[in-house]
Amino acid sequence: QVQLVESGGGLVQAGESLKLSCAVSGSIGSSNVVGWFRQAPGKEREFVARIIRLLGNTNYADSVKGRFTISRDNAKNTVYLQMNNLKSEDTAVYYCAATRRTGESYDYWGQGTQVTVSS
């Protein structure tokens, strides 16, 4: 079993930054890949970024490339999402999720944290 707890959401103005954290506990083998997703009101959930915890390899959605950075601190079992130059369209509930390996469905999800960007 894996537990994920997000934190760091809030209300910011366009152009500002936020850093989200995802605390991961439980089976390391089942959480080798951690991804960030988001869901805006009335929209489908979409992929934002992912990281392979052991290797540090990262992938990003085109919409956030160059603005968002995913990273991890394995000593703290925490994955971060640094979000810079935020735009109103980044407003959403952000979720972190974990899976054993890339290409597999994400089996474990956090409860989400709200990010609101005012223009």
Side-chain angles (χ1 to χ4, degrees), residues 23-68:
V24 185
S25 59
S27 170
I28 295 175
S30 297
S31 61
N32 187 39
V33 179
V34 174
W36 284 98
F37 295 78
R38 66 187 182 186
Q39 187 166 21
K43 293 188 177 181
E44 296 287 319
R45 185 172 61 199
E46 65 174 354
F47 167 78
V48 175
R50 72 173 181 202
I51 189 166
I52 301 175
R53 295 171 69 194
L54 290 179
L55 301 176
N57 299 37
T58 59
N59 296 91
Y60 297 91
D62 287 343
S63 59
V64 306
K65 278 182 182 176
R67 299 189 299 123
F68 291 11

Side-chain angles (χ1 to χ4, degrees), residues 6-97:
E6 304 97 334
S7 61
L11 172 63
V12 296
Q13 293 189 336
E16 294 184 340
S17 300
L18 271 178
K19 187 174 184 177
L20 305 183
S21 299
C22 174
V24 185
S25 59
S27 170
I28 295 175
S30 297
S31 61
N32 187 39
V33 179
V34 174
W36 284 98
F37 295 78
R38 66 187 182 186
Q39 187 166 21
K43 293 188 177 181
E44 296 287 319
R45 185 172 61 199
E46 65 174 354
F47 167 78
V48 175
R50 72 173 181 202
I51 189 166
I52 301 175
R53 295 171 69 194
L54 290 179
L55 301 176
N57 299 37
T58 59
N59 296 91
Y60 297 91
D62 287 343
S63 59
V64 306
K65 278 182 182 176
R67 299 189 299 123
F68 291 11
T69 302
I70 189 170
S71 62
R72 90 289 194 214
D73 183 334
N74 288 339
K76 295 182 178 180
N77 290 320
T78 301
V79 173
Y80 304 98
L81 185 68
Q82 176 67 49
M83 306 184 294
N84 297 330
N85 190 22
L86 282 161
K87 305 176 181 180
S88 57
E89 52 262 43
D90 295 318
T91 295
V93 177
Y94 283 71
Y95 301 89
C96 62

